[in-house]
Amino acid sequence: MRSSNRSRIVFAVLVVVGAVALTAMLAARWKSAESSPERLTSGATTFRAEAPKELEVWRRPTTTDPREFAIAYARAIWTYDTTRHSYTDWQNAVSVYADPSSVAPQVATSLLPQWAEWEQLQQHKAHATTTAVTLEVTPELNAMPHRGQAPPGWHAYVVYGKQTVVTDTGTKFLDRQAAVAVVCTPTCRFWSATAQVSS
């Protein structure tokens, strides 16, 4: 009887010791995982992945100046970095220039490259910057409000810019041109645009 009791006590002690040892081992592993370089590196990578992808030049100005707004829009459609953002990021940034309750966002993004062109740019790690942006009002554009062909607060310009496109195969310099219309009542928003490219 005593032998049976001793066996039970020894068994219970072994179970308790085993449970304590297992707990200590799991705690040590957990602490080690918390401070391991892989964990820290992984955390750093995750942090970088969550960094904003929007380029500074894409930011839509809140302004009552139609010239400033037209130039900002032109810079947004002519500036990109395929190593920092996706095509969707670019589309979203450009569509913000327009009134979301109309078809204007689709028109605003229509001046961006097509998906196939974007994929080519991405394969070559392309990025583009835009300088020397100027604008002018043509007689045709100036006449439109007087003919009743434009809403109140409408302004239109031909915007010009010099675009530098850098890829892994070289650098290209392009002359960019777009006719951009905005409506300011009084804050400006995108109305419409058409573009052409010449090298």
mmCIF file of all heavy atoms in Angstrom, residues 77-124:
data_model
loop_
_atom_site.group_PDB
_atom_site.id
_atom_site.type_symbol
_atom_site.label_atom_id
_atom_site.label_comp_id
_atom_site.label_asym_id
_atom_site.label_seq_id
_atom_site.Cartn_x
_atom_site.Cartn_y
_atom_site.Cartn_z
ATOM 1 N N ILE A 77 0.214 64.092 -63.710
ATOM 2 C CA ILE A 77 0.094 63.082 -64.772
ATOM 3 C C ILE A 77 1.419 62.823 -65.488
ATOM 4 O O ILE A 77 1.550 61.815 -66.189
ATOM 5 C CB ILE A 77 -1.005 63.459 -65.804
ATOM 6 C CG1 ILE A 77 -0.672 64.764 -66.513
ATOM 7 C CG2 ILE A 77 -2.373 63.479 -65.146
ATOM 8 C CD1 ILE A 77 -1.596 65.104 -67.678
ATOM 9 N N TRP A 78 2.391 63.710 -65.311
ATOM 10 C CA TRP A 78 3.675 63.552 -65.993
ATOM 11 C C TRP A 78 4.798 63.098 -65.064
ATOM 12 O O TRP A 78 5.939 62.970 -65.501
ATOM 13 C CB TRP A 78 4.067 64.857 -66.678
ATOM 14 C CG TRP A 78 3.137 65.276 -67.780
ATOM 15 C CD1 TRP A 78 2.344 64.477 -68.548
ATOM 16 C CD2 TRP A 78 2.901 66.616 -68.238
ATOM 17 N NE1 TRP A 78 1.630 65.224 -69.449
ATOM 18 C CE2 TRP A 78 1.947 66.551 -69.289
ATOM 19 C CE3 TRP A 78 3.401 67.864 -67.873
ATOM 20 C CZ2 TRP A 78 1.490 67.676 -69.972
ATOM 21 C CZ3 TRP A 78 2.949 68.997 -68.548
ATOM 22 C CH2 TRP A 78 2.008 68.905 -69.590
ATOM 23 N N THR A 79 4.507 62.863 -63.799
ATOM 24 C CA THR A 79 5.539 62.488 -62.826
ATOM 25 C C THR A 79 5.175 61.151 -62.192
ATOM 26 O O THR A 79 4.053 60.977 -61.717
ATOM 27 C CB THR A 79 5.664 63.566 -61.730
ATOM 28 O OG1 THR A 79 5.884 64.840 -62.352
ATOM 29 C CG2 THR A 79 6.805 63.256 -60.782
ATOM 30 N N TYR A 80 6.118 60.233 -62.175
ATOM 31 C CA TYR A 80 5.875 58.915 -61.579
ATOM 32 C C TYR A 80 7.201 58.264 -61.198
ATOM 33 O O TYR A 80 8.278 58.715 -61.603
ATOM 34 C CB TYR A 80 5.099 58.009 -62.548
ATOM 35 C CG TYR A 80 5.813 57.777 -63.862
ATOM 36 C CD1 TYR A 80 6.761 56.752 -63.995
ATOM 37 C CD2 TYR A 80 5.562 58.585 -64.971
ATOM 38 C CE1 TYR A 80 7.426 56.555 -65.191
ATOM 39 C CE2 TYR A 80 6.227 58.386 -66.171
ATOM 40 C CZ TYR A 80 7.160 57.368 -66.274
ATOM 41 O OH TYR A 80 7.829 57.171 -67.450
ATOM 42 N N ASP A 81 7.096 57.188 -60.419
ATOM 43 C CA ASP A 81 8.260 56.392 -60.041
ATOM 44 C C ASP A 81 7.789 54.953 -59.844
ATOM 45 O O ASP A 81 7.182 54.623 -58.831
ATOM 46 C CB ASP A 81 8.899 56.934 -58.753
ATOM 47 C CG ASP A 81 10.198 56.223 -58.402
ATOM 48 O OD1 ASP A 81 10.460 55.136 -58.947
ATOM 49 O OD2 ASP A 81 10.950 56.756 -57.574
ATOM 50 N N THR A 82 8.051 54.108 -60.820
ATOM 51 C CA THR A 82 7.535 52.732 -60.778
ATOM 52 C C THR A 82 8.160 51.903 -59.664
ATOM 53 O O THR A 82 7.647 50.833 -59.336
ATOM 54 C CB THR A 82 7.768 52.008 -62.118
ATOM 55 O OG1 THR A 82 9.188 51.885 -62.342
ATOM 56 C CG2 THR A 82 7.119 52.754 -63.262
ATOM 57 N N THR A 83 9.256 52.367 -59.076
ATOM 58 C CA THR A 83 9.876 51.628 -57.976
ATOM 59 C C THR A 83 9.251 51.983 -56.632
ATOM 60 O O THR A 83 9.513 51.328 -55.632
ATOM 61 C CB THR A 83 11.393 51.904 -57.895
ATOM 62 O OG1 THR A 83 11.616 53.280 -57.546
ATOM 63 C CG2 THR A 83 12.080 51.597 -59.211
ATOM 64 N N ARG A 84 8.414 53.026 -56.602
ATOM 65 C CA ARG A 84 7.835 53.483 -55.335
ATOM 66 C C ARG A 84 6.329 53.320 -55.242
ATOM 67 O O ARG A 84 5.768 53.341 -54.155
ATOM 68 C CB ARG A 84 8.177 54.967 -55.108
ATOM 69 C CG ARG A 84 9.634 55.223 -54.798
ATOM 70 C CD ARG A 84 9.901 56.694 -54.599
ATOM 71 N NE ARG A 84 9.082 57.261 -53.545
ATOM 72 C CZ ARG A 84 8.962 58.557 -53.309
ATOM 73 N NH1 ARG A 84 9.605 59.432 -54.066
ATOM 74 N NH2 ARG A 84 8.202 59.001 -52.333
ATOM 75 N N HIS A 85 5.638 53.207 -56.351
ATOM 76 C CA HIS A 85 4.179 53.130 -56.304
ATOM 77 C C HIS A 85 3.651 52.238 -57.416
ATOM 78 O O HIS A 85 4.376 51.896 -58.348
ATOM 79 C CB HIS A 85 3.553 54.528 -56.410
ATOM 80 C CG HIS A 85 3.872 55.235 -57.701
ATOM 81 N ND1 HIS A 85 3.225 54.958 -58.890
ATOM 82 C CD2 HIS A 85 4.769 56.208 -57.987
ATOM 83 C CE1 HIS A 85 3.709 55.733 -59.846
ATOM 84 N NE2 HIS A 85 4.648 56.490 -59.338
ATOM 85 N N SER A 86 2.386 51.877 -57.303
ATOM 86 C CA SER A 86 1.728 51.047 -58.315
ATOM 87 C C SER A 86 0.932 51.941 -59.267
ATOM 88 O O SER A 86 0.733 53.131 -59.010
ATOM 89 C CB SER A 86 0.784 50.048 -57.644
ATOM 90 O OG SER A 86 -0.325 50.739 -57.085
ATOM 91 N N TYR A 87 0.452 51.327 -60.330
ATOM 92 C CA TYR A 87 -0.376 52.060 -61.290
ATOM 93 C C TYR A 87 -1.668 52.543 -60.619
ATOM 94 O O TYR A 87 -2.129 53.653 -60.862
ATOM 95 C CB TYR A 87 -0.688 51.150 -62.474
ATOM 96 C CG TYR A 87 -1.399 51.839 -63.620
ATOM 97 C CD1 TYR A 87 -0.814 52.911 -64.283
ATOM 98 C CD2 TYR A 87 -2.646 51.404 -64.039
ATOM 99 C CE1 TYR A 87 -1.463 53.537 -65.341
ATOM 100 C CE2 TYR A 87 -3.298 52.014 -65.102
ATOM 101 C CZ TYR A 87 -2.703 53.080 -65.751
ATOM 102 O OH TYR A 87 -3.340 53.694 -66.787
ATOM 103 N N THR A 88 -2.213 51.703 -59.741
ATOM 104 C CA THR A 88 -3.438 52.074 -59.024
ATOM 105 C C THR A 88 -3.196 53.267 -58.112
ATOM 106 O O THR A 88 -4.051 54.155 -58.004
ATOM 107 C CB THR A 88 -3.967 50.874 -58.211
ATOM 108 O OG1 THR A 88 -4.190 49.784 -59.117
ATOM 109 C CG2 THR A 88 -5.263 51.209 -57.500
ATOM 110 N N ASP A 89 -2.034 53.323 -57.454
ATOM 111 C CA ASP A 89 -1.690 54.487 -56.622
ATOM 112 C C ASP A 89 -1.736 55.762 -57.461
ATOM 113 O O ASP A 89 -2.259 56.788 -57.033
ATOM 114 C CB ASP A 89 -0.280 54.347 -56.026
ATOM 115 C CG ASP A 89 -0.148 53.189 -55.071
ATOM 116 O OD1 ASP A 89 -1.140 52.868 -54.387
ATOM 117 O OD2 ASP A 89 0.947 52.606 -55.000
ATOM 118 N N TRP A 90 -1.166 55.687 -58.651
ATOM 119 C CA TRP A 90 -1.111 56.845 -59.547
ATOM 120 C C TRP A 90 -2.509 57.239 -59.998
ATOM 121 O O TRP A 90 -2.882 58.417 -59.968
ATOM 122 C CB TRP A 90 -0.228 56.488 -60.735
ATOM 123 C CG TRP A 90 0.259 57.639 -61.570
ATOM 124 C CD1 TRP A 90 0.165 58.979 -61.292
ATOM 125 C CD2 TRP A 90 0.939 57.531 -62.815
ATOM 126 N NE1 TRP A 90 0.736 59.710 -62.305
ATOM 127 C CE2 TRP A 90 1.228 58.846 -63.256
ATOM 128 C CE3 TRP A 90 1.329 56.460 -63.602
ATOM 129 C CZ2 TRP A 90 1.893 59.103 -64.454
ATOM 130 C CZ3 TRP A 90 1.996 56.716 -64.794
ATOM 131 C CH2 TRP A 90 2.267 58.031 -65.214
ATOM 132 N N GLN A 91 -3.306 56.264 -60.408
ATOM 133 C CA GLN A 91 -4.688 56.547 -60.817
ATOM 134 C C GLN A 91 -5.481 57.207 -59.684
ATOM 135 O O GLN A 91 -6.203 58.181 -59.914
ATOM 136 C CB GLN A 91 -5.392 55.253 -61.229
ATOM 137 C CG GLN A 91 -4.947 54.683 -62.550
ATOM 138 C CD GLN A 91 -5.681 53.394 -62.869
ATOM 139 O OE1 GLN A 91 -5.785 52.514 -62.020
ATOM 140 N NE2 GLN A 91 -6.183 53.287 -64.088
ATOM 141 N N ASN A 92 -5.345 56.666 -58.489
ATOM 142 C CA ASN A 92 -6.079 57.217 -57.345
ATOM 143 C C ASN A 92 -5.674 58.657 -57.063
ATOM 144 O O ASN A 92 -6.519 59.510 -56.790
ATOM 145 C CB ASN A 92 -5.842 56.361 -56.092
ATOM 146 C CG ASN A 92 -6.515 55.007 -56.183
ATOM 147 O OD1 ASN A 92 -7.415 54.808 -57.005
ATOM 148 N ND2 ASN A 92 -6.092 54.076 -55.362
ATOM 149 N N ALA A 93 -4.377 58.932 -57.129
ATOM 150 C CA ALA A 93 -3.887 60.287 -56.866
ATOM 151 C C ALA A 93 -4.424 61.285 -57.888
ATOM 152 O O ALA A 93 -4.842 62.393 -57.539
ATOM 153 C CB ALA A 93 -2.355 60.303 -56.867
ATOM 154 N N VAL A 94 -4.446 60.881 -59.157
ATOM 155 C CA VAL A 94 -4.913 61.785 -60.221
ATOM 156 C C VAL A 94 -6.432 61.955 -60.160
ATOM 157 O O VAL A 94 -6.948 63.058 -60.377
ATOM 158 C CB VAL A 94 -4.459 61.259 -61.603
ATOM 159 C CG1 VAL A 94 -5.124 62.027 -62.735
ATOM 160 C CG2 VAL A 94 -2.937 61.355 -61.721
ATOM 161 N N SER A 95 -7.156 60.907 -59.832
ATOM 162 C CA SER A 95 -8.620 61.012 -59.794
ATOM 163 C C SER A 95 -9.111 61.950 -58.694
ATOM 164 O O SER A 95 -10.201 62.515 -58.794
ATOM 165 C CB SER A 95 -9.254 59.630 -59.628
ATOM 166 O OG SER A 95 -8.958 59.095 -58.365
ATOM 167 N N VAL A 96 -8.290 62.155 -57.655
ATOM 168 C CA VAL A 96 -8.660 63.051 -56.556
ATOM 169 C C VAL A 96 -8.798 64.503 -57.036
ATOM 170 O O VAL A 96 -9.495 65.303 -56.419
ATOM 171 C CB VAL A 96 -7.617 62.945 -55.413
ATOM 172 C CG1 VAL A 96 -7.760 64.056 -54.387
ATOM 173 C CG2 VAL A 96 -7.744 61.603 -54.719
ATOM 174 N N TYR A 97 -8.183 64.840 -58.152
ATOM 175 C CA TYR A 97 -8.280 66.208 -58.685
ATOM 176 C C TYR A 97 -9.703 66.533 -59.137
ATOM 177 O O TYR A 97 -10.068 67.696 -59.239
ATOM 178 C CB TYR A 97 -7.313 66.384 -59.865
ATOM 179 C CG TYR A 97 -5.902 66.679 -59.438
ATOM 180 C CD1 TYR A 97 -5.080 65.681 -58.939
ATOM 181 C CD2 TYR A 97 -5.389 67.975 -59.513
ATOM 182 C CE1 TYR A 97 -3.786 65.955 -58.536
ATOM 183 C CE2 TYR A 97 -4.094 68.254 -59.115
ATOM 184 C CZ TYR A 97 -3.295 67.246 -58.625
ATOM 185 O OH TYR A 97 -2.021 67.522 -58.211
ATOM 186 N N ALA A 98 -10.488 65.503 -59.422
ATOM 187 C CA ALA A 98 -11.803 65.722 -60.028
ATOM 188 C C ALA A 98 -12.936 65.519 -59.036
ATOM 189 O O ALA A 98 -12.766 64.917 -57.981
ATOM 190 C CB ALA A 98 -11.971 64.771 -61.202
ATOM 191 N N ASP A 99 -14.104 66.025 -59.399
ATOM 192 C CA ASP A 99 -15.317 65.848 -58.613
ATOM 193 C C ASP A 99 -15.738 64.374 -58.687
ATOM 194 O O ASP A 99 -16.039 63.865 -59.763
ATOM 195 C CB ASP A 99 -16.414 66.746 -59.198
ATOM 196 C CG ASP A 99 -17.746 66.614 -58.462
ATOM 197 O OD1 ASP A 99 -17.823 65.809 -57.510
ATOM 198 O OD2 ASP A 99 -18.690 67.322 -58.832
ATOM 199 N N PRO A 100 -15.768 63.654 -57.541
ATOM 200 C CA PRO A 100 -16.069 62.227 -57.581
ATOM 201 C C PRO A 100 -17.502 61.898 -57.974
ATOM 202 O O PRO A 100 -17.813 60.762 -58.309
ATOM 203 C CB PRO A 100 -15.783 61.764 -56.145
ATOM 204 C CG PRO A 100 -15.930 62.989 -55.310
ATOM 205 C CD PRO A 100 -15.513 64.137 -56.184
ATOM 206 N N SER A 101 -18.400 62.884 -57.963
ATOM 207 C CA SER A 101 -19.804 62.616 -58.294
ATOM 208 C C SER A 101 -20.069 62.669 -59.793
ATOM 209 O O SER A 101 -21.206 62.541 -60.231
ATOM 210 C CB SER A 101 -20.715 63.629 -57.582
ATOM 211 O OG SER A 101 -20.458 64.931 -58.062
ATOM 212 N N SER A 102 -19.033 62.853 -60.590
ATOM 213 C CA SER A 102 -19.205 62.937 -62.052
ATOM 214 C C SER A 102 -18.277 61.933 -62.725
ATOM 215 O O SER A 102 -17.626 61.129 -62.067
ATOM 216 C CB SER A 102 -18.874 64.357 -62.520
ATOM 217 O OG SER A 102 -17.484 64.600 -62.349
ATOM 218 N N VAL A 103 -18.201 62.013 -64.051
ATOM 219 C CA VAL A 103 -17.275 61.150 -64.793
ATOM 220 C C VAL A 103 -15.888 61.764 -64.878
ATOM 221 O O VAL A 103 -14.977 61.177 -65.467
ATOM 222 C CB VAL A 103 -17.796 60.865 -66.225
ATOM 223 C CG1 VAL A 103 -19.098 60.096 -66.174
ATOM 224 C CG2 VAL A 103 -17.933 62.147 -67.028
ATOM 225 N N ALA A 104 -15.710 62.935 -64.287
ATOM 226 C CA ALA A 104 -14.431 63.643 -64.366
ATOM 227 C C ALA A 104 -13.232 62.820 -63.881
ATOM 228 O O ALA A 104 -12.156 62.913 -64.478
ATOM 229 C CB ALA A 104 -14.512 64.972 -63.627
ATOM 230 N N PRO A 105 -13.341 62.001 -62.806
ATOM 231 C CA PRO A 105 -12.175 61.200 -62.408
ATOM 232 C C PRO A 105 -11.680 60.261 -63.507
ATOM 233 O O PRO A 105 -10.476 60.098 -63.695
ATOM 234 C CB PRO A 105 -12.679 60.410 -61.190
ATOM 235 C CG PRO A 105 -13.752 61.267 -60.612
ATOM 236 C CD PRO A 105 -14.422 61.889 -61.802
ATOM 237 N N GLN A 106 -12.607 59.660 -64.263
ATOM 238 C CA GLN A 106 -12.200 58.785 -65.371
ATOM 239 C C GLN A 106 -11.510 59.587 -66.467
ATOM 240 O O GLN A 106 -10.551 59.125 -67.076
ATOM 241 C CB GLN A 106 -13.407 58.041 -65.959
ATOM 242 C CG GLN A 106 -13.939 56.930 -65.077
ATOM 243 C CD GLN A 106 -14.987 57.423 -64.091
ATOM 244 O OE1 GLN A 106 -15.178 58.618 -63.906
ATOM 245 N NE2 GLN A 106 -15.665 56.496 -63.446
ATOM 246 N N VAL A 107 -12.003 60.813 -66.711
ATOM 247 C CA VAL A 107 -11.379 61.665 -67.721
ATOM 248 C C VAL A 107 -9.985 62.084 -67.248
ATOM 249 O O VAL A 107 -9.027 62.081 -68.019
ATOM 250 C CB VAL A 107 -12.246 62.910 -68.010
ATOM 251 C CG1 VAL A 107 -11.552 63.827 -69.004
ATOM 252 C CG2 VAL A 107 -13.612 62.489 -68.535
ATOM 253 N N ALA A 108 -9.871 62.422 -65.963
ATOM 254 C CA ALA A 108 -8.582 62.849 -65.410
ATOM 255 C C ALA A 108 -7.535 61.752 -65.545
ATOM 256 O O ALA A 108 -6.387 62.008 -65.914
ATOM 257 C CB ALA A 108 -8.748 63.245 -63.946
ATOM 258 N N THR A 109 -7.919 60.501 -65.269
ATOM 259 C CA THR A 109 -6.951 59.404 -65.349
ATOM 260 C C THR A 109 -6.729 58.910 -66.772
ATOM 261 O O THR A 109 -5.793 58.151 -67.027
ATOM 262 C CB THR A 109 -7.401 58.209 -64.473
ATOM 263 O OG1 THR A 109 -8.690 57.771 -64.899
ATOM 264 C CG2 THR A 109 -7.447 58.595 -63.001
ATOM 265 N N SER A 110 -7.550 59.354 -67.713
ATOM 266 C CA SER A 110 -7.395 58.893 -69.099
ATOM 267 C C SER A 110 -6.105 59.405 -69.731
ATOM 268 O O SER A 110 -5.673 58.887 -70.760
ATOM 269 C CB SER A 110 -8.596 59.324 -69.956
ATOM 270 O OG SER A 110 -8.602 60.724 -70.143
ATOM 271 N N LEU A 111 -5.483 60.410 -69.133
ATOM 272 C CA LEU A 111 -4.225 60.928 -69.671
ATOM 273 C C LEU A 111 -3.014 60.148 -69.179
ATOM 274 O O LEU A 111 -1.894 60.412 -69.602
ATOM 275 C CB LEU A 111 -4.061 62.416 -69.337
ATOM 276 C CG LEU A 111 -4.692 63.364 -70.365
ATOM 277 C CD1 LEU A 111 -6.206 63.267 -70.370
ATOM 278 C CD2 LEU A 111 -4.250 64.791 -70.106
ATOM 279 N N LEU A 112 -3.222 59.183 -68.296
ATOM 280 C CA LEU A 112 -2.126 58.326 -67.838
ATOM 281 C C LEU A 112 -1.859 57.246 -68.885
ATOM 282 O O LEU A 112 -2.713 56.960 -69.720
ATOM 283 C CB LEU A 112 -2.493 57.674 -66.502
ATOM 284 C CG LEU A 112 -2.752 58.625 -65.329
ATOM 285 C CD1 LEU A 112 -3.108 57.830 -64.080
ATOM 286 C CD2 LEU A 112 -1.547 59.517 -65.064
ATOM 287 N N PRO A 113 -0.691 56.599 -68.829
ATOM 288 C CA PRO A 113 -0.427 55.490 -69.759
ATOM 289 C C PRO A 113 -1.429 54.355 -69.561
ATOM 290 O O PRO A 113 -2.041 54.240 -68.497
ATOM 291 C CB PRO A 113 0.987 55.023 -69.363
ATOM 292 C CG PRO A 113 1.546 56.096 -68.508
ATOM 293 C CD PRO A 113 0.413 56.832 -67.903
ATOM 294 N N GLN A 114 -1.580 53.506 -70.549
ATOM 295 C CA GLN A 114 -2.411 52.315 -70.433
ATOM 296 C C GLN A 114 -1.668 51.267 -69.592
ATOM 297 O O GLN A 114 -0.463 51.382 -69.378
ATOM 298 C CB GLN A 114 -2.730 51.743 -71.814
ATOM 299 C CG GLN A 114 -3.516 52.694 -72.699
ATOM 300 C CD GLN A 114 -4.891 53.024 -72.129
ATOM 301 O OE1 GLN A 114 -5.627 52.140 -71.722
ATOM 302 N NE2 GLN A 114 -5.228 54.299 -72.090
ATOM 303 N N TRP A 115 -2.413 50.235 -69.139
ATOM 304 C CA TRP A 115 -1.806 49.187 -68.313
ATOM 305 C C TRP A 115 -0.583 48.569 -68.978
ATOM 306 O O TRP A 115 0.440 48.348 -68.327
ATOM 307 C CB TRP A 115 -2.828 48.089 -68.019
ATOM 308 C CG TRP A 115 -3.651 48.355 -66.798
ATOM 309 C CD1 TRP A 115 -4.947 48.760 -66.771
ATOM 310 C CD2 TRP A 115 -3.241 48.249 -65.431
ATOM 311 N NE1 TRP A 115 -5.376 48.913 -65.462
ATOM 312 C CE2 TRP A 115 -4.345 48.597 -64.627
ATOM 313 C CE3 TRP A 115 -2.040 47.882 -64.820
ATOM 314 C CZ2 TRP A 115 -4.289 48.599 -63.239
ATOM 315 C CZ3 TRP A 115 -1.981 47.884 -63.424
ATOM 316 C CH2 TRP A 115 -3.098 48.233 -62.654
ATOM 317 N N ALA A 116 -0.669 48.264 -70.255
ATOM 318 C CA ALA A 116 0.450 47.626 -70.964
ATOM 319 C C ALA A 116 1.685 48.523 -70.963
ATOM 320 O O ALA A 116 2.811 48.060 -70.762
ATOM 321 C CB ALA A 116 0.045 47.280 -72.391
ATOM 322 N N GLU A 117 1.466 49.829 -71.165
ATOM 323 C CA GLU A 117 2.586 50.776 -71.130
ATOM 324 C C GLU A 117 3.188 50.847 -69.732
ATOM 325 O O GLU A 117 4.411 50.899 -69.570
ATOM 326 C CB GLU A 117 2.110 52.166 -71.555
ATOM 327 C CG GLU A 117 1.632 52.275 -72.990
ATOM 328 C CD GLU A 117 1.020 53.640 -73.244
ATOM 329 O OE1 GLU A 117 1.788 54.569 -73.537
ATOM 330 O OE2 GLU A 117 -0.216 53.770 -73.144
ATOM 331 N N TRP A 118 2.300 50.858 -68.713
ATOM 332 C CA TRP A 118 2.777 50.907 -67.328
ATOM 333 C C TRP A 118 3.647 49.687 -67.018
ATOM 334 O O TRP A 118 4.698 49.805 -66.389
ATOM 335 C CB TRP A 118 1.596 50.984 -66.358
ATOM 336 C CG TRP A 118 2.019 50.751 -64.938
ATOM 337 C CD1 TRP A 118 1.891 49.600 -64.225
ATOM 338 C CD2 TRP A 118 2.660 51.687 -64.066
ATOM 339 N NE1 TRP A 118 2.410 49.771 -62.959
ATOM 340 C CE2 TRP A 118 2.896 51.032 -62.845
ATOM 341 C CE3 TRP A 118 3.057 53.017 -64.222
ATOM 342 C CZ2 TRP A 118 3.510 51.657 -61.766
ATOM 343 C CZ3 TRP A 118 3.671 53.640 -63.147
ATOM 344 C CH2 TRP A 118 3.892 52.973 -61.938
ATOM 345 N N GLU A 119 3.218 48.504 -67.465
ATOM 346 C CA GLU A 119 3.988 47.288 -67.209
ATOM 347 C C GLU A 119 5.375 47.369 -67.846
ATOM 348 O O GLU A 119 6.363 46.935 -67.257
ATOM 349 C CB GLU A 119 3.227 46.060 -67.720
ATOM 350 C CG GLU A 119 2.045 45.702 -66.838
ATOM 351 C CD GLU A 119 1.161 44.621 -67.434
ATOM 352 O OE1 GLU A 119 1.399 44.214 -68.590
ATOM 353 O OE2 GLU A 119 0.232 44.187 -66.733
ATOM 354 N N GLN A 120 5.446 47.961 -69.031
ATOM 355 C CA GLN A 120 6.752 48.155 -69.684
ATOM 356 C C GLN A 120 7.628 49.105 -68.867
ATOM 357 O O GLN A 120 8.816 48.850 -68.659
ATOM 358 C CB GLN A 120 6.557 48.722 -71.099
ATOM 359 C CG GLN A 120 6.014 47.739 -72.112
ATOM 360 C CD GLN A 120 7.010 46.640 -72.421
ATOM 361 O OE1 GLN A 120 8.196 46.890 -72.616
ATOM 362 N NE2 GLN A 120 6.538 45.404 -72.454
ATOM 363 N N LEU A 121 7.026 50.194 -68.414
ATOM 364 C CA LEU A 121 7.770 51.153 -67.595
ATOM 365 C C LEU A 121 8.267 50.484 -66.310
ATOM 366 O O LEU A 121 9.415 50.687 -65.897
ATOM 367 C CB LEU A 121 6.883 52.351 -67.244
ATOM 368 C CG LEU A 121 6.463 53.257 -68.395
ATOM 369 C CD1 LEU A 121 5.385 54.241 -67.941
ATOM 370 C CD2 LEU A 121 7.670 54.009 -68.950
ATOM 371 N N GLN A 122 7.414 49.670 -65.718
ATOM 372 C CA GLN A 122 7.767 49.000 -64.461
ATOM 373 C C GLN A 122 8.907 48.006 -64.668
ATOM 374 O O GLN A 122 9.809 47.907 -63.832
ATOM 375 C CB GLN A 122 6.532 48.288 -63.913
ATOM 376 C CG GLN A 122 6.577 48.040 -62.430
ATOM 377 C CD GLN A 122 5.220 47.607 -61.899
ATOM 378 O OE1 GLN A 122 4.481 46.894 -62.578
ATOM 379 N NE2 GLN A 122 4.897 48.022 -60.697
ATOM 380 N N GLN A 123 8.878 47.279 -65.768
ATOM 381 C CA GLN A 123 9.949 46.323 -66.062
ATOM 382 C C GLN A 123 11.299 47.006 -66.166
ATOM 383 O O GLN A 123 12.331 46.425 -65.834
ATOM 384 C CB GLN A 123 9.651 45.572 -67.361
ATOM 385 C CG GLN A 123 8.591 44.500 -67.227
ATOM 386 C CD GLN A 123 8.226 43.891 -68.571
ATOM 387 O OE1 GLN A 123 8.902 44.106 -69.580
ATOM 388 N NE2 GLN A 123 7.141 43.130 -68.602
ATOM 389 N N HIS A 124 11.293 48.255 -66.623
ATOM 390 C CA HIS A 124 12.546 49.004 -66.798
ATOM 391 C C HIS A 124 12.819 49.967 -65.643
ATOM 392 O O HIS A 124 13.650 50.859 -65.754
ATOM 393 C CB HIS A 124 12.516 49.757 -68.126
ATOM 394 C CG HIS A 124 12.549 48.844 -69.321
ATOM 395 N ND1 HIS A 124 13.682 48.145 -69.699
ATOM 396 C CD2 HIS A 124 11.579 48.479 -70.190
ATOM 397 C CE1 HIS A 124 13.417 47.418 -70.763
ATOM 398 N NE2 HIS A 124 12.141 47.595 -71.084
#
